[in-house]
């Protein structure tokens, strides 16, 4: 009986290992754990540094939102990342986002289906943002349209996702973009489910929100680790 139990334990261990490796298949790290090669900062002057294989962003006074952006552009992908944020600091992860050297006019539609134009100033990072929100409303995992239309999919009616956020602890995001679909999960709990086709590709970015001149918010930090991406093939049109 002892030998049978041992063999069973070994088989279970091998199965777990194989499953873990399968989950990692196809993912590429976006952060090498040593430096910020492949990233560039836009927007404000928040500080970004590497501490123990982690990217740490620190808020500074009198500067706008800051973004540490990948140099590479992504379209359809699955992004996974762990994050931890100070309760006084707002943050987010930009996806399919862009910044231009000159003013840009984008065409979209309002809630009534009428066409409207959005002017994005030169140098302004804009695009979909997966919110990191440690406030009482707990909308972490919701989708905000940075620099353009505001909230697209908040979590006001998603109590399960609100409760999934862990204050002062590491949290895990899974973000899947394919075609006009953007879906998010926080610690394994479904959060946002958005259909939107304004932007099909752009960079990934880590945001440190501007804190104005509020001394209690200066020097607060948000950290990211295990940042990895799997590029997906576009779905075939039926």
């Amino acid at each position: 009986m002892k030998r049978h139990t041992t063999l069973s334990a070994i088989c279970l261990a091998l199965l777990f290992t194989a499953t873990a490796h399968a989950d990692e298949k196809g993912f590429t790290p976006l952060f090498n754990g040593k430096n910020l090669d492949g990233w560039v900062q836009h927007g404000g002057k928040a500080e970004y540094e590497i501490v123990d294989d982690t990217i740490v962003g620190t808020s500074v006074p009198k500067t706008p939102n800051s973004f540490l952006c990948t140099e590479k552009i992504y379209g359809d992908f699955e992004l996974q990342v762990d994050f931890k944020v100070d309760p006084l600091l707002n943050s987010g992860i930009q996806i399919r986002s862009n910044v231009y050297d000159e003013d840009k006019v984008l065409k979209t539609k309002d809630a009534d289906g009428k066409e409207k134009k959005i002017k994005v100033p030169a140098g302004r990072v804009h695009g979909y943002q997966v919110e990191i929100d440690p406030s009482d409303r707990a909308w972490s995992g919701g989708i905000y349209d940075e620099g353009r239309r505001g909230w697209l999919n908040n979590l006001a009616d998603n109590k399960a996702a609100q409760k999934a956020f862990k204050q002062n602890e590491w949290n895990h995001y899974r973000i899947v973009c394919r075609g006009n679909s953007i879906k998010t999960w926080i610690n394994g709990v479904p959060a946002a489910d958005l259909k939107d086709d304004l932007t099909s590709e752009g960079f990934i970015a880590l945001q440190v929100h501007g804190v104005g001149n509020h001394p209690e918010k200066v020097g607060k930090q948000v950290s990211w680790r295990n940042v990895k991406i799997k590029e997906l093939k576009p779905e075939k049109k039926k």
Side-chain angles (χ1 to χ4, degrees), residues 13-27 228 230:
L14 289 173
L15 178 61
F16 176 82
T17 302
T19 302
H21 287 168
D23 291 342
E24 296 295 324
K25 186 177 181 181
F27 279 94
K228 58 187 179 181
K230 179 197 295 184

Side-chain angles (χ1 to χ4, degrees), residues 175-186:
I175 304 164
V176 177
C177 295
R178 191 190 289 272
N180 69 346
S181 171
I182 301 176
K183 296 181 179 181
T184 69
W185 291 258
I186 177 169

Side-chain angles (χ1 to χ4, degrees), residues 83-85 140 161-172 186-187:
F83 69 91
K84 181 168 64 174
V85 62
S140 290
Q162 292 177 29
K163 294 178 180 179
F165 174 77
K166 296 182 289 187
Q167 195 75 267
N168 291 311
E169 296 183 38
W170 285 101
N171 293 271
H172 180 77
I186 177 169
N187 297 321

Side-chain angles (χ1 to χ4, degrees), residues 87-181:
L88 292 180
L89 187 62
N90 182 274
S91 181
I93 297 175
Q94 296 293 138
I95 54 175
R96 289 182 174 176
S97 295
N98 292 277
V99 62
Y100 300 109
D101 295 331
E102 55 186 30
D103 293 350
K104 188 83 169 180
V105 176
L106 305 175
K107 294 182 180 180
T108 184
K109 294 181 179 180
D110 60 21
D112 296 324
K114 296 181 179 180
E115 185 176 289
K116 68 175 184 177
K117 295 180 179 180
I118 302 173
K119 182 178 180 180
V120 181
R124 179 67 162 97
V125 170
H126 58 280
Y128 307 109
Q129 179 187 132
V130 181
E131 183 81 358
I132 294 178
D133 178 17
S135 72
D136 291 341
R137 69 181 181 182
W139 285 359
S140 290
I143 299 175
Y144 182 85
D145 197 10
E146 177 76 20
R148 301 191 298 192
R149 298 168 292 174
W151 281 103
L152 301 178
N153 193 160
N154 63 44
L155 302 184
D157 297 323
N158 191 337
K159 300 301 182 183
Q162 292 177 29
K163 294 178 180 179
F165 174 77
K166 296 182 289 187
Q167 195 75 267
N168 291 311
E169 296 183 38
W170 285 101
N171 293 271
H172 180 77
Y173 272 165
R174 178 182 176 225
I175 304 164
V176 177
C177 295
R178 191 190 289 272
N180 69 346
S181 171

Side-chain angles (χ1 to χ4, degrees), residues 50-64:
I50 300 167
V51 180
D52 298 330
D53 299 329
T54 300
I55 298 175
V56 179
T58 303
S59 61
V60 299
K62 301 178 181 179
T63 192

